[in-house]
């Protein structure tokens, strides 16, 4: 992946108004961005869309994607569609597209040459069904990060860890001074997300792909995944006193030094930024848990349900174009902690952690996001398993692995 050629200060603004409508139109946009950092980022989209003469009507749904997606799907299938809605990259909106409920954006994508600017290519492929493009990818988020509080380790009198094993080894020193080693919230996706970060970090990229891409149950039952379950057992012991719910509450424990670390996607950077913390000084980030430096191509895309209102339909195209405008891409992603999907922007203002991510992407050390490989049904089964595993110390790694294998065997 190549990120160069374009500076945020260059005059890309003119393109923002290229297809602006003659009259203002209100568009309701649903999403699940409600934390401080997320709200600051989404405000950049709203500001840019309002600048076209239209009006962004914010439809934020609290509780995260698992809470928001059923609401979004219910509205679309029930005949009360919003004008635009967030989904993650992958197969979350596949059935809605197949049912003919989503706008075909192929003409706009062709006109604006999305195939030439969106990187990696897999993101636009994820928006494509039967040769037609149904969504606008807007960022690259990666789950593959361990965030550490420098102050917590200083208080514990141990060096800031450089990898997962050092982090596990430092846990007793953290606990001795009343610090929770690992902050994990109670939402199901946080448990499964942490496990899915451990797989490529502990077992490697090849094992990750064999399990989730090839659905190889033999590998899922093997010794490499057994090592992952052992690491997950360490993680749940380290997180035993982490009695919070939302992911950003867990991040706040790291920001305030009440927890040593958190396994979370790079959207956590937005929370550190809002808190005024500086990467490399106040907190440390370890891509691939400091073991295997890989980046997953997760992130977000916007879909546009079919509407009967002609003016709103026109404004949908303006919104899609606005979201992929280079100037807007930079403004949004700097606050979101994610990386632009455009391959022709340069994040001169990127912090140390974002630069690490960009370097890994430039080297091509990437893996697909789990959402791109699994159906929602499979992910929900995995969520249930990992919630039970993290909350039930009596559920052994060996028994959990057997149940994991059964899910992989039955996966589409």
């Amino acid at each position: 992946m190549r990120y160069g050629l374009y500076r945020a200060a260059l005059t890309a603004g003119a393109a923002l108004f290229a297809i602006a409508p003659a009259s203002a139109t209100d568009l309701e946009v649903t999403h699940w961005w409600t934390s401080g950092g997320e709200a600051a980022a989404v405000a950049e989209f709203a500001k840019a869309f309002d600048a076209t003469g239209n009006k962004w009507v914010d439809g934020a749904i609290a509780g995260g994607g698992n809470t928001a997606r059923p609401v979004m799907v219910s509205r679309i299938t029930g005949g009360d569609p919003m004008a635009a809605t967030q989904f993650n990259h992958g197969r979350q909106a596949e059935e809605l597209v197949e049912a003919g409920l989503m706008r075909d954006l192929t003409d706009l994508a062709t006109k604006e040459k999305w195939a030439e600017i969106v990187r990696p290519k897999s993101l636009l492929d994820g928006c494509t069904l039967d040769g037609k493009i149904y969504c606008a990818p807007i960022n690259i988020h990666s789950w593959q990060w361990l965030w550490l509080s420098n102050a917590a380790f200083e208080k514990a009198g141990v060096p800031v860890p450089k990898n997962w094993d050092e982090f596990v080894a430092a846990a007793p020193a953290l606990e001795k001074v009343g610090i929770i080693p690992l902050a994990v919230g109670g939402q199901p996706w946080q448990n499964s997300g942490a496990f899915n970060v451990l797989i490529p970090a502990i077992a490697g990229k090849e094992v990750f792909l064999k399990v989730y891409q090839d659905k190889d149950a033999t590998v899922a039952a093997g010794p490499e995944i057994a090592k992952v379950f052992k690491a997950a057992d360490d993680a749940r012991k380290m997180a035993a006193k982490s009695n919070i719910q939302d992911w950003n509450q867990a991040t706040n424990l790291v920001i305030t030094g009440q927890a040593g670390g958190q396994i979370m996607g790079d959207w956590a950077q937005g929370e550190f930024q809002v808190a005024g913390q500086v990467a490399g000084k106040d907190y440390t980030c370890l891509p691939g848990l400091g073991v295997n430096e890989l980046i997953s191509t997760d992130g977000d895309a916007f879909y546009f349900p079919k509407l009967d209102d002609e003016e709103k339909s026109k404004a949908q195209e303006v919104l899609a174009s606005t979201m992929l405008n280079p100037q807007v891409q930079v403004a949004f992603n700097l606050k979101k902690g994610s990386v632009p999907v455009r391959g022709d922007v340069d994040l001169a203002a990127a912090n140390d952690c974002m630069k690490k991510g960009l370097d890994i992407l430039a080297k091509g050390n990437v893996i697909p996001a789990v959402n791109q490989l699994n159906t929602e049904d499979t992910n929900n089964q995995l969520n249930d398993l990992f919630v039970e595993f993290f909350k039930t110390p009596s559920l052994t790694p060996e028994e959990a692995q057997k149940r994991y294998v059964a899910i992989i065997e039955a996966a589409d």
Side-chain angles (χ1 to χ4, degrees):
M1 179 177 293
R2 184 166 176 255
Y3 285 87
L5 306 179
Y6 192 89
R7 301 253 170 209
L10 292 183
T11 55
L16 190 61
F17 304 95
I19 57 172
S23 58
T25 303
D26 290 358
L27 289 187
E28 181 192 8
V29 185
T30 55
H31 58 87
W32 55 81
W33 291 324
T34 57
S35 75
E38 291 172 328
V42 78
E44 294 294 337
F45 274 158
K47 180 172 65 175
F49 184 59
D50 289 354
T52 68
N54 293 289
K55 177 66 176 176
W56 173 291
V57 179
D58 200 69
I61 300 172
N66 285 352
T67 299
R69 279 190 296 273
V71 176
M72 295 164 174
V73 171
S74 178
R75 283 191 54 184
I76 295 168
T77 57
D80 181 30
M82 63 296 291
T85 189
Q86 170 196 10
F87 284 106
N88 292 127
H89 298 317
R91 302 173 65 177
Q92 292 175 350
E94 191 172 76
E95 292 183 359
L96 296 172
V97 172
E98 291 174 339
L101 297 172
M102 292 299 191
R103 283 279 307 271
D104 176 1
L105 301 176
T106 307
D107 288 346
L108 176 65
T110 301
K111 176 183 176 183
E112 299 194 344
K113 301 180 179 180
W114 290 4
E116 296 180 17
I117 62 173
V118 173
R119 296 290 184 275
K121 180 178 179 293
S122 60
L123 298 184
L124 198 58
D125 289 343
C127 290
T128 304
L129 186 67
D130 297 329
K132 296 181 179 179
I133 297 171
Y134 289 93
C135 67
I138 53 100
N139 65 2
I140 301 167
H141 264 313
S142 174
W143 252 104
Q144 314 301 313
W145 295 88
L146 174 61
W147 308 94
L148 302 171
S149 165
N150 291 1
F153 290 95
E154 182 179 352
K155 182 178 179 181
V158 292
V160 176
K162 295 183 176 63
N163 55 51
W164 175 256
D165 287 343
E166 290 184 7
F167 181 41
V168 175
L174 293 169
E175 292 178 319
K176 188 175 181 180
V177 294
I179 295 172
I180 301 166
L182 181 65
V184 179
Q187 296 161 317
W189 62 270
Q190 295 184 57
N191 300 129
S192 56
F195 184 88
N196 291 332
V197 170
L198 287 166
I199 295 178
I202 304 299
K205 178 178 180 178
E206 184 178 347
V207 170
F208 173 86
L209 292 175
K210 281 188 176 295
V211 172
Y212 285 135
Q213 184 167 273
D214 301 338
K215 306 299 188 288
D216 191 325
T218 301
V219 174
E224 295 304 316
I225 294 298
K227 292 178 185 177
V228 176
F229 272 96
K230 171 59 172 65
D233 186 35
D234 289 334
R236 70 175 171 181
K237 292 172 182 175
M238 294 164 68
K241 295 181 180 180
S242 181
N243 297 317
I244 37 84
Q245 182 69 10
D246 295 338
W247 71 267
N248 53 305
Q249 292 176 316
T251 307
N252 187 62
L253 291 179
V254 179
I255 290 171
T256 57
Q258 298 176 71
Q262 177 190 26
I263 298 173
M264 186 52 59
D266 50 14
W267 48 90
Q269 286 195 89
E271 302 305 299
F272 286 103
Q273 182 171 312
V274 168
Q277 295 212 335
V278 178
K281 176 185 175 184
D282 301 305
Y283 65 98
T284 296
C285 53
L286 298 180
L289 308 186
V291 183
N292 283 316
E293 291 196 346
L294 292 164
I295 290 294
S296 58
T297 52
D298 212 329
D300 306 286
F302 274 83
Y303 288 77
F304 300 82
K306 289 181 178 178
L307 303 176
D308 294 329
D309 188 307
E310 184 177 350
E311 289 303 312
K312 289 185 182 295
S313 295
K314 290 179 181 177
Q316 284 177 319
E317 294 193 8
V318 177
L319 178 55
S321 179
T322 299
M323 288 176 162
L324 279 168
N325 172 274
Q327 185 182 33
V328 178
Q329 278 276 297
V330 170
F332 170 81
N333 284 289
L334 282 176
K335 290 190 176 177
K336 190 68 168 63
S338 49
V339 173
V341 297
R342 291 189 66 122
D344 58 354
V345 299
D346 176 28
L347 296 180
N351 65 26
D352 288 350
C353 293
M354 192 180 292
K355 287 175 181 175
K356 286 183 183 180
L358 287 169
D359 182 58
I360 293 169
L361 288 166
K363 292 175 180 175
N365 295 340
V366 300
I367 54 174
V370 173
N371 288 327
Q372 294 170 293
L373 302 174
N374 290 340
T375 63
E376 278 294 276
D377 179 60
T378 296
N379 282 334
N380 287 334
Q381 291 180 59
L382 292 170
N383 285 346
D384 291 343
L385 172 60
F386 294 126
V387 167
E388 184 179 353
F389 181 75
F390 269 81
K391 292 184 181 300
T392 312
S394 61
L395 177 56
T396 66
E398 293 77 16
E399 177 58 30
Q401 185 174 5
K402 289 179 183 178
R403 291 170 56 180
Y404 180 76
V405 171
I407 295 172
I408 298 302
E409 281 181 322
D412 293 334

